[in-house]
Amino acid sequence: PIKGIPSKGAVSKTRLRGGLQDGVDVVCVSNGVIRAFVVPTRGMNIQKVEEVKEGGGVSLGWDSPVKDIVHPYYVNLEDKSGLGWLYSFNGWMVRCGVEWSGHPGDDNGNLRSLHGKISHIPANRVEMRVLVDGTLQLLGRVHEVWFKGANFEVWTCLSLKPNSTSFCLRDRVRNLSPKTHEFAMLYHANYGKPLLGKGARLFGTFETVQPFDEEARKDLPNWDVYQQPGYVAPGGERLYCVTPRGDEKGMAHMMLQNSEKDRGVAFEYKTSQLPYLSVWKNEDTESNGYVTGIEPGTGFPPNMRVERKAGRLATIGPNQIRDFEIKYTILNTAKQVEYVRGSIERINLKCKPPVLISDVLPKE
């Protein structure tokens, strides 16, 4: 037991045994209303967040063909020409970065593997804190470093207030190197059933929407509406590159609602911290992984050489800090969904509709 935890709250740690997940640590943090399963062995990724309800409630996550929470020991990120990340891809929140993120490929003679290394670096320090008001905070330190190269310290913080379906992610990235470095952070948040299904829809404050490729361009007018499993050919996917619009306080607001409009997840963050959004629609068969990724980031998914040329690549100076914060709220009634949808629509009434850019995002 940890002193100060509210009566309905709980914290537990489990070490998995067997298969590719042997030795993986999972920490479950619950405020009595929702619980989150955090994986320190995998860079403080969050495997899932779910309501604590008899018979189940809203759950954030998806059913990946990759069932194990794979230990980094078994993952070669450079396998399959840089696609090794996919051998362990599952879970709700997968951080991407820090030295690089995005699609694999050559970058000035260096192979950049898919979405960087941070989600395969075990945290070297994990702390549990209980604030005076009963808020539970799980913190972890992840250190991405190589000799005479990049040296990034990332402190992550998952914060759950008592008796609330809202929670907050706060990350602090510090460049411990004496040099200025390029860097990237992308929050690969993945949603499947029960939120995802035919007729589910993404709402938000959006400035522009651009298809990543020709396949996405074909369905650009319906980029924010989801289809049933198997809508695309096996292995197919569609990806849209979105520029969020901030409100008068610089906050972007978004919500994924289910087809029945009675369940959803809302989230908000500063566009100054995360100026780009990737919307990955993987309307593949359920056995292949029916999922959407709604991914705030410092850039778009192309390889770093493309992001650099486009002027989207972020930099951080010696000993400088960059903070990132995203607040999520699980919505479990039609009234809650309607309220958030109305709030977003009221913000959008003050602005022009998002511009749908028909040209595919340049890749070179």
Side-chain angles (χ1 to χ4, degrees):
I2 298 177
K3 184 178 179 180
I5 290 183
S7 58
K8 293 183 179 180
V11 179
S12 64
K13 177 186 172 184
T14 303
R15 178 160 292 176
L16 304 179
R17 294 297 184 189
L20 298 179
Q21 60 187 7
D22 191 73
V24 170
D25 289 334
V26 179
V27 178
C28 177
V29 183
S30 174
N31 64 1
V33 177
I34 59 174
R35 57 188 168 214
F37 296 82
V38 181
V39 190
T41 313
R42 291 285 305 278
M44 301 300 289
N45 282 353
I46 302 176
Q47 192 66 15
K48 65 178 177 179
V49 180
E50 63 184 10
E51 287 188 280
V52 181
K53 271 187 177 181
E54 289 187 14
V58 176
S59 177
L60 308 183
W62 62 295
D63 186 12
S64 169
V66 180
K67 303 304 180 186
D68 285 350
I69 305 176
V70 180
H71 196 289
Y73 177 84
Y74 298 105
V75 180
N76 177 6
L77 294 174
E78 295 187 358
D79 200 5
K80 301 291 184 183
S81 301
L83 289 174
W85 188 86
L86 296 176
Y87 280 96
S88 63
F89 180 43
N90 57 23
W92 172 62
M93 175 60 73
V94 182
R95 288 179 179 84
C96 304
V98 176
E99 188 178 0
W100 72 84
S101 183
H103 291 175
D106 178 77
D107 178 23
N108 294 327
N110 298 306
L111 173 61
R112 302 298 189 186
S113 59
L114 179 64
H115 287 324
K117 295 185 176 183
I118 189 173
S119 72
H120 291 85
I121 300 176
N124 58 20
R125 184 177 179 87
V126 179
E127 299 178 4
M128 187 71 216
R129 298 177 182 175
V130 184
L131 304 187
V132 174
D133 66 355
T135 296
L136 303 177
Q137 291 187 335
L138 181 65
L139 297 91
R141 179 183 185 267
V142 184
H143 194 190
E144 182 177 326
V145 58
W146 55 282
F147 182 60
K148 290 188 180 293
N151 191 348
F152 294 108
E153 176 190 67
V154 182
W155 271 101
T156 75
C157 178
L158 169 66
S159 182
L160 284 72
K161 289 190 174 183
N163 303 311
S164 174
T165 62
S166 296
F167 60 96
C168 189
L169 303 182
R170 296 186 183 94
D171 288 356
R172 169 162 286 186
V173 177
R174 184 191 296 271
N175 177 17
L176 298 179
S177 165
K179 300 178 182 179
T180 295
H181 279 279
E182 299 171 338
F183 83 105
M185 286 294 287
L186 184 139
Y187 293 84
H188 208 301
N190 306 296
Y191 304 90
K193 292 183 175 180
L195 296 184
L196 193 62
K198 184 177 181 180
R201 187 174 177 186
L202 175 65
F203 291 85
T205 54
F206 305 124
E207 188 81 39
T208 64
V209 181
Q210 187 169 14
F212 183 78
D213 55 21
E214 286 295 333
E215 188 63 29
R217 189 175 67 84
K218 294 175 185 177
D219 205 30
L220 180 59
N222 301 308
W223 74 275
D224 54 352
V225 179
Y226 291 91
Q227 303 298 331
Q228 71 278 4
Y231 180 75
V232 299
E237 61 184 9
R238 292 175 294 168
L239 175 62
Y240 297 93
C241 300
V242 182
T243 304
R245 176 190 291 123
D247 61 13
E248 64 276 3
K249 296 181 180 179
M251 301 293 293
H253 302 265
M254 298 171 204
M255 176 184 69
L256 176 65
Q257 72 171 30
N258 68 353
S259 57
E260 291 80 15
K261 304 178 183 179
D262 60 359
R263 299 289 187 274
V265 58
F267 51 104
E268 60 185 31
Y269 57 89
K270 292 181 180 179
T271 57
S272 59
Q273 296 178 349
L274 298 163
Y276 303 101
L277 177 75
S278 302
V279 179
W280 172 56
K281 301 174 70 176
N282 195 65
E283 295 149 319
D284 206 330
T285 62
E286 292 190 42
S287 61
N288 241 10
Y290 179 59
V291 60
T292 183
I294 305 175
E295 311 158 17
T298 57
F300 284 145
N303 185 275
M304 293 280 279
R305 71 179 187 278
V306 178
E307 292 296 281
R308 187 180 300 112
K309 184 177 179 180
R312 292 188 293 264
L313 199 53
T315 60
I316 184 170
N319 207 41
Q320 283 190 345
I321 289 172
R322 291 285 294 273
D323 290 324
F324 303 95
E325 181 175 337
I326 311 176
K327 179 183 177 182
Y328 289 90
T329 302
I330 290 176
L331 310 172
N332 53 27
T333 68
K335 186 175 181 179
Q336 290 176 344
V337 171
E338 182 181 10
Y339 176 82
V340 174
R341 187 171 60 244
S343 298
I344 292 173
E345 289 174 348
R346 283 190 292 275
I347 296 172
N348 286 335
L349 283 175
K350 304 174 185 177
C351 311
K352 295 180 180 179
V355 177
L356 303 184
I357 302 171
S358 59
D359 294 334
V360 169
L361 188 79
K363 309 297 191 306
E364 296 296 340

